[in-house]
Every structure is written in C-alpha cells, then in structure tokens.
Amino acid sequence: MDIGLALPTTVPDVTGPKLLEWARRADRLGFSTLGVLDRIVYPNYESLLALTAAAAVTERIKLATTILIAACRDSALLAKQVATLDHLSGGRLVLGLASGDREDDFAATGTPFAGRGKRLDTVVRELRTAWSEASPGLSPSRRPPLLIGGHSTAAMRRSARVGDGWIGGGSSVSRYADLAARVRAEWRRHGRTEAPKLLALSYVALGPGGREQAEGYLSGYYAFVGDKAAMVVSGVATEPGRLRELAHGYAEAGCDELILLPCSADPGQVDLIADAALN
C-alpha cells in the first residue's frame, strides 16, 4: 500500500513558507502523493492554488485533490484550472471529486445544495467535453485519473460509472473493509472488469502535544457535525506505533493508498510521519 500525505491547507498555523517546505520534504522523503482537503467557507488555502504551489517545488510526488467539492464550481473554469495544473506539474495530477456535505459552501457560491449529486454528474460530463479534441486549449497533458469520494451508494455507483477509483474518509479500519467491498460490488454490477483504485483518508498528529493539537483543530473544523467531532478526534493517530497499526489495518482491508491528514503545519511533522509510516 502506498502512503501519501495531505498538505496542511486547512490547519490554523499554515503559512506559505510552511506549506512549501512541507511539500519539499514529502517529495524528498518518499511519500506517494500530496493530497488536499477542500472547503469554500473556511479560512483554508484554496485547493488547486495550493497544489500549484506544491508543483513548483516538487519533482516526483503526485498531486491529488482528496477531494474537491466540484458540485459548486464552474465547470469551464475548473477544466481550465485542472488542465493548467496538470501541464505545470508534468502530468502528476490526480483528480478526486465529491458532491460535498456543507450547505454554507454551496450558499456562498450560489449553487443549490439539493441535487448536488446530479450537479456533480453534470460537472464530470462538462469537464470531459471541455477536454475533448474539440477544445484543445483546455486539454490536460492526459486525462487525469478520476477518483470519486463519498460513502453513499450513489457515490460508489458514480465511481463505477465514471471513475478510476474511490476515496473513503472518516471511517474506521473495520468499516473501511465493508465500504471497499461495496465499491467493488458496484463496479462488478456496472460491468467493470478492472479493480478500482481504493484510497482512504486518516488523521495524524505525532510528537509532543499531538493529541491537544488534534483536538484544538478538529473540534473546530468538524463543529458542524456536533458530537460526532469527538469521534473524529478519537481516531487520530498520535503515536508512531498506532500509526503503523493503522497503516497495516488499511492495507489488510484492501486499501491501495492511505492519505494521512495533518493536524499541524509544522514541517517537522513530515519527518515524524515518514519515520513512523515509511520506514
């Protein structure tokens, strides 16, 4: 199983220099991917701009939206942005999309929250049209691998219809095995003979004060889910041994790539996580 690392675009202590150093270290230390979380109404760095900055200071590592809330974005502009990033990075982009679950993100962009799944289907069709031979100026260097995020049956079916894989976040290792089995079943029902690429997301906060750092950040980031925010905090790997157990568990559950989500922008976290998860 590959191990990727998300950029700290949503954590309170992020700065431009920290983000760039984070990307450099992840590239140098052997992580497979730099992921990024996406929000609109939140004090985070914009996902595609952050990945573009990371592309400029890295050479090897893949760049992935894990995930992008595409249902509330303009398709023509998104197609142009994705094509540009893919060209600038030398074809390292992986496009993860989901319908989103925060009403305020949709309100801020003037997009209806209801029907967002159907809107995502429309966005995917419009992206492919924009990247077609009829629109060469919008074409990426190659069609980026498309991953669909979400635990709903609709998201799994969408991954089988239009995707190259699926991303699951916010679940336990034991639940992930069941989710992965459901995704594979949907792919078989849709006549897909190849295996889907399966990704998982999990939080990590190593070193002194890691638990407190995670609680402070995640209790605010997930305040909209109420008491469930505490469940997210309880699942954070704050010890190297726990992180190794987590990675082993996801691998056993059939995960192809685990993206670790940071709770701090301190570039030293990259080294700590690499020591625990890659060595």
Side-chain angles (χ1 to χ4, degrees):
M1 182 183 71
D2 291 330
I3 303 288
L5 186 64
L7 289 167
T9 54
T10 57
V11 298
D13 59 332
V14 67
T15 65
K18 285 182 179 179
L19 184 99
L20 296 180
E21 179 58 22
W22 187 283
R24 291 187 189 98
R25 292 193 191 193
D27 192 40
R28 183 175 68 248
L29 291 173
F31 288 97
S32 58
T33 299
L34 278 172
V36 65
L37 295 177
D38 193 40
R39 283 294 313 280
I40 304 297
V41 185
Y42 192 80
N44 61 302
Y45 284 0
E46 198 281 325
S47 298
L48 295 174
L49 288 176
L51 287 177
T52 302
V57 297
T58 58
E59 297 179 353
R60 172 200 59 81
I61 198 166
K62 290 182 294 183
L63 308 164
T65 56
T66 55
I67 51 68
L68 196 71
I69 309 171
C72 61
R73 292 178 180 252
D74 177 81
S75 300
L77 178 58
L78 179 58
K80 189 78 167 184
Q81 291 169 322
V82 168
T84 299
L85 176 52
D86 190 64
H87 275 275
L88 290 174
S89 66
R92 288 185 281 146
L93 181 62
V94 176
L95 190 61
L97 306 178
S99 57
D101 57 5
R102 287 293 305 263
E103 292 191 42
D104 52 356
D105 287 334
F106 286 79
T109 58
T111 310
F113 186 67
R116 60 196 182 279
K118 291 183 179 179
R119 170 62 185 152
L120 178 56
D121 291 333
T122 299
V123 169
V124 172
R125 288 195 301 269
E126 292 175 345
L127 287 176
R128 288 180 167 170
T129 297
W131 293 336
S132 69
E133 293 182 358
S135 304
L138 292 178
S139 298
S141 55
R142 87 286 186 256
R143 185 180 73 78
L146 176 61
L147 310 176
I148 300 297
H151 291 182
S152 68
T153 299
M156 294 176 180
R157 289 174 179 167
R158 186 173 293 114
S159 77
R161 289 198 314 269
V162 302
D164 300 298
W166 173 81
I167 303 176
S171 65
S172 64
V173 171
S174 58
R175 188 180 177 211
Y176 186 85
D178 175 65
L179 292 169
R182 288 171 55 196
V183 172
R184 294 191 192 96
E186 287 295 338
W187 276 53
R188 289 192 296 270
R189 273 193 283 272
H190 282 77
R192 301 285 297 268
T193 57
E194 73 275 34
K197 180 168 184 179
L198 301 175
L199 279 75
L201 309 177
S202 189
Y203 281 101
V204 61
L206 300 182
R211 173 62 60 181
E212 293 75 17
Q213 186 91 40
E215 289 177 353
Y217 160 51
L218 294 174
S219 61
Y221 189 78
Y222 287 102
F224 76 103
V225 298
D227 294 341
K228 291 182 180 179
M231 296 177 59
V232 178
V233 174
S234 67
V236 179
T238 57
E239 299 293 338
R242 173 57 185 153
L243 179 56
R244 286 189 284 269
E245 290 176 2
L246 195 72
H248 178 75
Y250 273 109
E252 289 291 309
C255 181
D256 295 307
E257 185 172 22
L258 175 63
I259 307 293
L260 299 171
L261 308 174
C263 297
S264 166
D266 179 5
Q269 283 287 305
V270 182
D271 299 81
L272 293 174
I273 296 168
D275 286 343
L278 300 183
N279 300 324

